[in-house]
Amino acid sequence: MACVYIPVQNSEEEVRVALDQLPRDATDILDILKAEQAPLDLWLIIAREYFKQGKIEQFRQILEEGSSPEIDEYYADVRYERIAILNALGAYYSYLGKIETKQREKEEHFILATQYYNKASRIDMHEPSTWIGKGQLLLAKGDVDQAFAAFKIVLDGDRDNIPALLGQACVEFNRGKYSSSLEMYKRVLQVYPRCPAAVRLGIGLCRYKLGQFDRAKQAFERVLQLDPENVEALVALGIMDLQSNEAYGIRGAMEKMRRAFDIYPYCATALNYLANHFFFTGQHFLVEQLTETALAATTHGSTRAHSYYNLARSYHSKGDYEKAGLYYMASVKEINKPQEFILPFYGLGQVQLKLGDFKSSLSNFEKVLEVYPENCETLKAVAHIYLQLNQTTKAHEALKKATRIDPRDPEAFLDLGELLIATDSGAALDAFKTARNLLKKANEEVSIELLNNIGVLHFERGEFELALQTFKEALGVGIWLKLMDTEPQSDSIGDPIRNTLYQPIDSSLAARKYKDMQLFHNLEKDGISVDLPWDKITTLSNLARLFEQLHKTETASLLYRLILFKFPEYVDAYLRLAAIAKSRNNVPLSIELIHDALQVDDKNPDALCMLGDLELKNDDWLKAKDTFRAAKDASNGKDSYATLCLGNWNYFAAVRSEKRAPKLEATHLEKAKELYTKVLIEHPANMYAANGAGVVLAEKGQFDIAKELFTQVQEAASGSVFVQMPDVWINLAHVHFAQGNFSLAIKMYQNCLRKFYYNTDSQILLYLARTHYEAEQWQDCKKTLLKAIHLAPSNYTLRFDTGVALQKFSASTLQKTKRTVDEVRATVAELKNAVRVFSLLSAASNLQFHGFDEKKIETHVGYCKHLLEAAKVHCDAAELEDQQNRHRLELARQAAIREEESRLAEEQKKVKLEKRKQEDELKKVMQQEQHLERIKEHWKSSGSKRKDRGQSGDEEGGQGERRRRKGSSKKRKRDKKTETHMDDQDEYDDDNANTNYYEPENQVNNQVNNDEDDPQDLLAAAGLEDSDADDDTGAPSAGRRIRGWSESEEDEPEKRPPNSSPVRDNSVDMQLSDGD
């Protein structure tokens, strides 16, 4: 039993105080300590014992009394004990400030701790324990740098101070300098090997942070060897076992956590990990108990955040979103930065999204993305929120980023496809296909919904074969495969399904076969399964709709009837069968099918609107109006189609041909406009309402605004295979017609006929004919009306219009100032046709009423006959003028023929002259070649004479002189002969063609150049020419020989232009000769 002895003043007696039996009231002890003036170390021992016993108030009371001014004054000489008391109070208030959650109280505790440490420093500013206390206070306040400075002051004085080393290690750990912290802890072990096990705990934590998990585990295990009940080491080892993600590791971790809990049931970290474990095992009551205990046991922000998160997650999984949101919010408040613990922000965002608080949810998810910008789950959640906030662009960007980060996430591509399905069907289809491929690669089942979406998108794009394949893939094997193949085949004998399908039925029942279910009853009797899973109804209905589009209405009706046989409450199947019956003009059966749908759902707006449309078609105006109003009331005014039908009713009421009153018409038009506008306000993209509004504006004469509306509707309708709106094309053509733009109107009518009606609609052909008529294109008008008559031969109005067109064409032709006889003849023929048409109509009007008056027809007949009589005069005048024109043309033709003949004669004469010229040139060339051959032969025979001439230079000079003279005389003779020949040639040319032609100058030059290479010229240049050859050579050779002699005598060769004429050379030589 521990006890202390307080010496009695002025006596040898002592007061014995048992430390385990300290009085509850510390005043008694204080009185004894004061009365006996006990040493201050006893005050500190007793206060510490109170603290160990959990009697904090008594502890504080003794220390505060021991640090009072009276005690300081009395024990002024006692320094260490006074400092120890003050430091103890400082450490106490530092602890209180550290665990306090309220900021104001926390700051008050830190202020008191600072005051006590400062008071201790005034006693001895160099006391290490005071600086260590200050460092711990600063560390608790989060002022790491000043704490480091305080511990450094102590270590500068004593580098082996263990508390300072431990404090410095904590500072470095908080700074993230785990290597430095580890070195500090190692130094503590070196200084004091028998230090507590907690020091090795710090070493393990540093190793863990440095990634040295094996050595960290060794450190924690060493802590347990020294202190088997060290809870922190058990928890640390448990956390490391959990990170192995293996079954045995998780089991070992939970055992360690349970052991830590048994040792100390208030370890918040162990409680949180146990709660996390029980959350995944579904034991939510244990999760709530453990987290509540952890919250009560700790004030550490991060640990409490984990506790609140576990509690919130438990309520979240149970569907209690209100409580889950509160606890998520509490967890978030315990976190200083999202980077510390991001999961509560994600959970809070999920709960807020579920509760519809999109903006708050978006804020929390964005915080998650700040920490983890490439988290695909968060990106998908953000995209969903953007979509709810109508920010489709941001939603698209988020999903694109998610698919780019993780291109193997099929869910991201599914979300992207659903986002794009309304704006970009092509991109949506690609996204859905990618999702399908990813699921197939992962060997996961592709959902029917995904395949159905792919099929619908193929359908919308007009890719019917791909749509059919996809729908079949989604449906799989079933009775519908047999029902699709409705074509009878030779090998179908013995097939009970085909036999049932093609068994003969009574003709009276054929019109009502869309309601016949006996087929499926017969199949069941034959033992054939007709099961249809509920999740395949929509896909089967879409497949039937596809067969409708492919004009396979029998197959479509079979599939719709199969749906109704298994699910009689599927209203859409009734309506589609009614639509098929309506397309076949079986209006009574269509109405009957709609009534069957209304028996299932008497307030179905689609059925009511369809019924009203049929009643309007039957000219039952009052019933149609009541039905449309019932459809509008059934949807509480939210069904835009019902409102649109009421608008259509008012428009048709305004433009009815019978009993048209201007005021009533204006009222109905204004009401129709109001209803169309209402639909457009609620649904700005409603094309039918916009078309109706444009029609009303056109009826009021506002053509420009109506045309703009029709154009926008036309552009919008062109992008979808489901929207077939020929009316907007017709309306736009009507507007162009009303504005006088007949060419544009004609194009619009023709495009509408070709695109929607395959050029087979007589009414639109009538519109087109009227446009041709107004554009005065009579022949095109006649052709269009004849085509319409071919399509609707019983429509006598078309025949009447044809007669009017023929009459107008004839009258306009006869009114021309200039017309050909063919036009007049055609006019006479058309007038006869018009008379024939009107006569037939006059006879038909006696039998039955066709909408025109017999007197009016007789008037047209009389007018056409009058035109026929007038046309005879015009025809005679046109024939006379035509004969005159033909005569003039014949004269002109003959003159042209004569001119052409003379021209051809001149060309033939030129050709002959050219041919003769070429023959003469050829003859000259041949003569020159023969002359060259003679020179070569003579050259060979005169070789010996050339050698004799080379012996004497004087003889050569004399002979050269004679040769020059002889050559000049020969040249004169030759010039005379040439002149004589040229004179003869001139006379010949004058007699034949009166034309002169000479050889081109370049031909002469080329001849000279070629002659320069003659061997005889080379001999002359060398002074070795043959005198006997003078008689056989012409003037050019003589000229060259003269130049050869002059060069040999004077040694100054004379340069001659390369293209100089031989005539000029000879003339120069002759002058030199005469001079000599």
Side-chain angles (χ1 to χ4, degrees), residues 178-210:
Y178 305 116
S179 297
S180 299
S181 178
L182 180 61
E183 293 300 324
M184 294 289 181
Y185 283 122
K186 287 182 178 180
R187 189 172 170 189
V188 171
L189 281 178
Q190 292 172 358
V191 175
Y192 185 43
R194 298 175 60 186
C195 63
V199 175
R200 288 180 172 80
L201 184 66
I203 293 174
L205 292 174
C206 291
R207 297 281 189 191
Y208 180 82
K209 289 291 185 179
L210 291 172

Short mmCIF file of all heavy atoms in Angstrom, two decimals, residues 178-210:
data_model
loop_
_atom_site.label_atom_id
_atom_site.label_comp_id
_atom_site.label_asym_id
_atom_site.label_seq_id
_atom_site.Cartn_x
_atom_site.Cartn_y
_atom_site.Cartn_z
N TYR A 178 8.71 11.16 -42.67
CA TYR A 178 8.69 9.91 -41.92
C TYR A 178 10.09 9.35 -41.71
O TYR A 178 10.35 8.70 -40.68
CB TYR A 178 7.81 8.90 -42.64
CG TYR A 178 6.42 9.42 -42.90
CD1 TYR A 178 5.95 9.62 -44.19
CD2 TYR A 178 5.58 9.74 -41.84
CE1 TYR A 178 4.68 10.11 -44.43
CE2 TYR A 178 4.29 10.23 -42.07
CZ TYR A 178 3.86 10.41 -43.36
OH TYR A 178 2.61 10.91 -43.58
N SER A 179 11.00 9.61 -42.59
CA SER A 179 12.37 9.12 -42.41
C SER A 179 13.04 9.81 -41.22
O SER A 179 13.69 9.16 -40.38
CB SER A 179 13.17 9.37 -43.69
OG SER A 179 12.63 8.65 -44.77
N SER A 180 12.86 11.14 -41.12
CA SER A 180 13.43 11.88 -39.99
C SER A 180 12.80 11.43 -38.68
O SER A 180 13.48 11.26 -37.65
CB SER A 180 13.23 13.38 -40.18
OG SER A 180 13.88 13.82 -41.36
N SER A 181 11.50 11.23 -38.68
CA SER A 181 10.81 10.77 -37.48
C SER A 181 11.33 9.40 -37.06
O SER A 181 11.57 9.14 -35.86
CB SER A 181 9.31 10.71 -37.75
OG SER A 181 8.63 10.21 -36.62
N LEU A 182 11.54 8.53 -38.07
CA LEU A 182 12.06 7.20 -37.75
C LEU A 182 13.44 7.29 -37.12
O LEU A 182 13.73 6.55 -36.16
CB LEU A 182 12.10 6.37 -39.05
CG LEU A 182 12.61 4.94 -38.92
CD1 LEU A 182 11.74 4.13 -37.97
CD2 LEU A 182 12.68 4.28 -40.29
N GLU A 183 14.28 8.17 -37.63
CA GLU A 183 15.61 8.34 -37.06
C GLU A 183 15.52 8.81 -35.61
O GLU A 183 16.31 8.38 -34.74
CB GLU A 183 16.42 9.32 -37.89
CG GLU A 183 16.77 8.81 -39.29
CD GLU A 183 17.60 7.54 -39.23
OE1 GLU A 183 18.44 7.41 -38.30
OE2 GLU A 183 17.40 6.66 -40.09
N MET A 184 14.58 9.68 -35.30
CA MET A 184 14.40 10.16 -33.91
C MET A 184 14.02 9.01 -32.98
O MET A 184 14.55 8.85 -31.88
CB MET A 184 13.33 11.25 -33.87
CG MET A 184 13.71 12.53 -34.61
SD MET A 184 14.97 13.45 -33.73
CE MET A 184 15.14 14.88 -34.81
N TYR A 185 13.07 8.20 -33.46
CA TYR A 185 12.65 7.06 -32.63
C TYR A 185 13.80 6.08 -32.42
O TYR A 185 13.98 5.52 -31.33
CB TYR A 185 11.46 6.35 -33.28
CG TYR A 185 10.15 7.09 -33.09
CD1 TYR A 185 9.39 7.48 -34.19
CD2 TYR A 185 9.66 7.35 -31.81
CE1 TYR A 185 8.18 8.13 -34.02
CE2 TYR A 185 8.45 8.00 -31.65
CZ TYR A 185 7.72 8.40 -32.74
OH TYR A 185 6.52 9.05 -32.57
N LYS A 186 14.59 5.84 -33.45
CA LYS A 186 15.74 4.96 -33.30
C LYS A 186 16.73 5.51 -32.27
O LYS A 186 17.32 4.76 -31.47
CB LYS A 186 16.44 4.79 -34.65
CG LYS A 186 15.70 3.92 -35.63
CD LYS A 186 16.52 3.80 -36.91
CE LYS A 186 15.85 2.90 -37.93
NZ LYS A 186 16.67 2.80 -39.17
N ARG A 187 16.91 6.81 -32.29
CA ARG A 187 17.84 7.44 -31.36
C ARG A 187 17.36 7.28 -29.92
O ARG A 187 18.15 7.08 -28.99
CB ARG A 187 17.98 8.91 -31.72
CG ARG A 187 19.09 9.61 -30.96
CD ARG A 187 19.26 10.99 -31.52
NE ARG A 187 20.13 11.81 -30.71
CZ ARG A 187 20.32 13.10 -30.88
NH1 ARG A 187 19.67 13.73 -31.88
NH2 ARG A 187 21.14 13.79 -30.12
N VAL A 188 16.03 7.36 -29.75
CA VAL A 188 15.47 7.14 -28.40
C VAL A 188 15.80 5.74 -27.92
O VAL A 188 16.19 5.53 -26.75
CB VAL A 188 13.95 7.37 -28.41
CG1 VAL A 188 13.34 6.94 -27.08
CG2 VAL A 188 13.65 8.85 -28.67
N LEU A 189 15.66 4.76 -28.83
CA LEU A 189 16.00 3.38 -28.45
C LEU A 189 17.48 3.24 -28.12
O LEU A 189 17.86 2.49 -27.20
CB LEU A 189 15.63 2.43 -29.59
CG LEU A 189 14.15 2.06 -29.71
CD1 LEU A 189 13.93 1.16 -30.91
CD2 LEU A 189 13.66 1.37 -28.46
N GLN A 190 18.31 3.94 -28.85
CA GLN A 190 19.74 3.86 -28.57
C GLN A 190 20.07 4.49 -27.21
O GLN A 190 20.92 3.97 -26.46
CB GLN A 190 20.53 4.56 -29.68
CG GLN A 190 20.47 3.85 -31.02
CD GLN A 190 21.10 4.67 -32.12
OE1 GLN A 190 21.55 5.80 -31.88
NE2 GLN A 190 21.14 4.11 -33.33
N VAL A 191 19.43 5.59 -26.90
CA VAL A 191 19.69 6.26 -25.63
C VAL A 191 19.10 5.48 -24.47
O VAL A 191 19.72 5.34 -23.40
CB VAL A 191 19.13 7.70 -25.68
CG1 VAL A 191 19.28 8.38 -24.32
CG2 VAL A 191 19.86 8.51 -26.74
N TYR A 192 17.87 4.96 -24.68
CA TYR A 192 17.18 4.29 -23.58
C TYR A 192 16.55 3.00 -24.14
O TYR A 192 15.38 2.98 -24.50
CB TYR A 192 16.13 5.22 -23.01
CG TYR A 192 15.42 4.67 -21.79
CD1 TYR A 192 16.12 4.02 -20.77
CD2 TYR A 192 14.04 4.80 -21.65
CE1 TYR A 192 15.47 3.53 -19.67
CE2 TYR A 192 13.38 4.30 -20.53
CZ TYR A 192 14.10 3.67 -19.55
OH TYR A 192 13.45 3.17 -18.44
N PRO A 193 17.34 1.92 -24.24
CA PRO A 193 16.83 0.67 -24.82
C PRO A 193 15.64 0.11 -24.08
O PRO A 193 14.86 -0.66 -24.67
CB PRO A 193 18.02 -0.28 -24.75
CG PRO A 193 19.22 0.61 -24.63
CD PRO A 193 18.76 1.80 -23.85
N ARG A 194 15.47 0.44 -22.83
CA ARG A 194 14.37 -0.11 -22.04
C ARG A 194 13.16 0.82 -22.04
O ARG A 194 12.37 0.84 -21.11
CB ARG A 194 14.84 -0.35 -20.62
CG ARG A 194 15.98 -1.37 -20.53
CD ARG A 194 16.50 -1.49 -19.12
NE ARG A 194 15.44 -1.92 -18.21
CZ ARG A 194 15.58 -1.99 -16.88
NH1 ARG A 194 16.73 -1.63 -16.32
NH2 ARG A 194 14.59 -2.39 -16.12
N CYS A 195 13.05 1.59 -23.09
CA CYS A 195 11.93 2.54 -23.18
C CYS A 195 10.61 1.79 -23.32
O CYS A 195 10.59 0.60 -23.67
CB CYS A 195 12.13 3.47 -24.36
SG CYS A 195 12.13 2.61 -25.94
N PRO A 196 9.48 2.44 -23.10
CA PRO A 196 8.18 1.77 -23.19
C PRO A 196 7.91 1.25 -24.62
O PRO A 196 8.53 1.69 -25.59
CB PRO A 196 7.20 2.88 -22.80
CG PRO A 196 8.00 3.84 -22.01
CD PRO A 196 9.38 3.82 -22.59
N ALA A 197 7.00 0.33 -24.68
CA ALA A 197 6.67 -0.29 -25.98
C ALA A 197 6.09 0.72 -26.96
O ALA A 197 6.18 0.54 -28.18
CB ALA A 197 5.69 -1.43 -25.77
N ALA A 198 5.49 1.80 -26.44
CA ALA A 198 4.87 2.78 -27.33
C ALA A 198 5.87 3.42 -28.28
O ALA A 198 5.52 3.87 -29.38
CB ALA A 198 4.17 3.85 -26.50
N VAL A 199 7.16 3.47 -27.85
CA VAL A 199 8.17 4.04 -28.74
C VAL A 199 8.29 3.20 -30.00
O VAL A 199 8.39 3.71 -31.12
CB VAL A 199 9.51 4.15 -28.00
CG1 VAL A 199 10.60 4.64 -28.96
CG2 VAL A 199 9.39 5.07 -26.80
N ARG A 200 8.28 1.89 -29.81
CA ARG A 200 8.35 1.01 -30.98
C ARG A 200 7.08 1.11 -31.82
O ARG A 200 7.10 0.84 -33.04
CB ARG A 200 8.58 -0.43 -30.52
CG ARG A 200 10.00 -0.65 -30.00
CD ARG A 200 10.22 -2.08 -29.55
NE ARG A 200 11.61 -2.34 -29.21
CZ ARG A 200 12.20 -2.02 -28.08
NH1 ARG A 200 11.47 -1.42 -27.11
NH2 ARG A 200 13.47 -2.28 -27.86
N LEU A 201 5.98 1.51 -31.22
CA LEU A 201 4.76 1.75 -31.97
C LEU A 201 4.96 2.89 -32.99
O LEU A 201 4.53 2.82 -34.14
CB LEU A 201 3.61 2.08 -31.02
CG LEU A 201 2.23 2.26 -31.64
CD1 LEU A 201 1.74 0.94 -32.22
CD2 LEU A 201 1.24 2.78 -30.61
N GLY A 202 5.67 3.94 -32.51
CA GLY A 202 5.99 5.04 -33.43
C GLY A 202 6.88 4.58 -34.57
O GLY A 202 6.72 5.00 -35.72
N ILE A 203 7.84 3.68 -34.25
CA ILE A 203 8.70 3.14 -35.31
C ILE A 203 7.86 2.37 -36.33
O ILE A 203 8.05 2.51 -37.56
CB ILE A 203 9.78 2.24 -34.69
CG1 ILE A 203 10.74 3.08 -33.85
CG2 ILE A 203 10.52 1.47 -35.78
CD1 ILE A 203 11.76 2.26 -33.10
N GLY A 204 6.91 1.57 -35.85
CA GLY A 204 6.06 0.81 -36.77
C GLY A 204 5.23 1.72 -37.66
O GLY A 204 5.08 1.46 -38.87
N LEU A 205 4.72 2.81 -37.07
CA LEU A 205 3.91 3.73 -37.88
C LEU A 205 4.75 4.40 -38.97
O LEU A 205 4.31 4.59 -40.10
CB LEU A 205 3.27 4.79 -36.98
CG LEU A 205 2.19 4.27 -36.02
CD1 LEU A 205 1.74 5.37 -35.07
CD2 LEU A 205 1.00 3.73 -36.81
N CYS A 206 5.99 4.78 -38.62
CA CYS A 206 6.88 5.38 -39.62
C CYS A 206 7.19 4.38 -40.73
O CYS A 206 7.20 4.74 -41.94
CB CYS A 206 8.17 5.85 -38.96
SG CYS A 206 7.95 7.28 -37.86
N ARG A 207 7.47 3.13 -40.36
CA ARG A 207 7.74 2.12 -41.37
C ARG A 207 6.53 1.93 -42.30
O ARG A 207 6.67 1.77 -43.51
CB ARG A 207 8.08 0.79 -40.69
CG ARG A 207 9.32 0.80 -39.82
CD ARG A 207 10.58 0.69 -40.65
NE ARG A 207 11.76 0.48 -39.82
CZ ARG A 207 13.00 0.56 -40.25
NH1 ARG A 207 13.22 0.86 -41.53
NH2 ARG A 207 14.02 0.36 -39.45
N TYR A 208 5.36 1.96 -41.70
CA TYR A 208 4.13 1.77 -42.49
C TYR A 208 3.95 2.89 -43.50
O TYR A 208 3.63 2.66 -44.67
CB TYR A 208 2.93 1.70 -41.54
CG TYR A 208 1.61 1.52 -42.23
CD1 TYR A 208 1.18 0.26 -42.63
CD2 TYR A 208 0.79 2.61 -42.49
CE1 TYR A 208 -0.03 0.09 -43.26
CE2 TYR A 208 -0.43 2.45 -43.13
CZ TYR A 208 -0.83 1.18 -43.52
OH TYR A 208 -2.04 1.02 -44.15
N LYS A 209 4.19 4.12 -43.05
CA LYS A 209 4.04 5.27 -43.95
C LYS A 209 5.09 5.25 -45.06
O LYS A 209 4.83 5.74 -46.16
CB LYS A 209 4.15 6.56 -43.15
CG LYS A 209 2.96 6.86 -42.25
CD LYS A 209 1.72 7.17 -43.08
CE LYS A 209 0.56 7.59 -42.20
NZ LYS A 209 -0.64 7.92 -43.00
N LEU A 210 6.25 4.70 -44.76
CA LEU A 210 7.32 4.62 -45.76
C LEU A 210 7.13 3.44 -46.71
O LEU A 210 7.94 3.25 -47.61
CB LEU A 210 8.68 4.51 -45.07
CG LEU A 210 9.16 5.77 -44.33
CD1 LEU A 210 10.41 5.47 -43.53
CD2 LEU A 210 9.42 6.91 -45.32
#
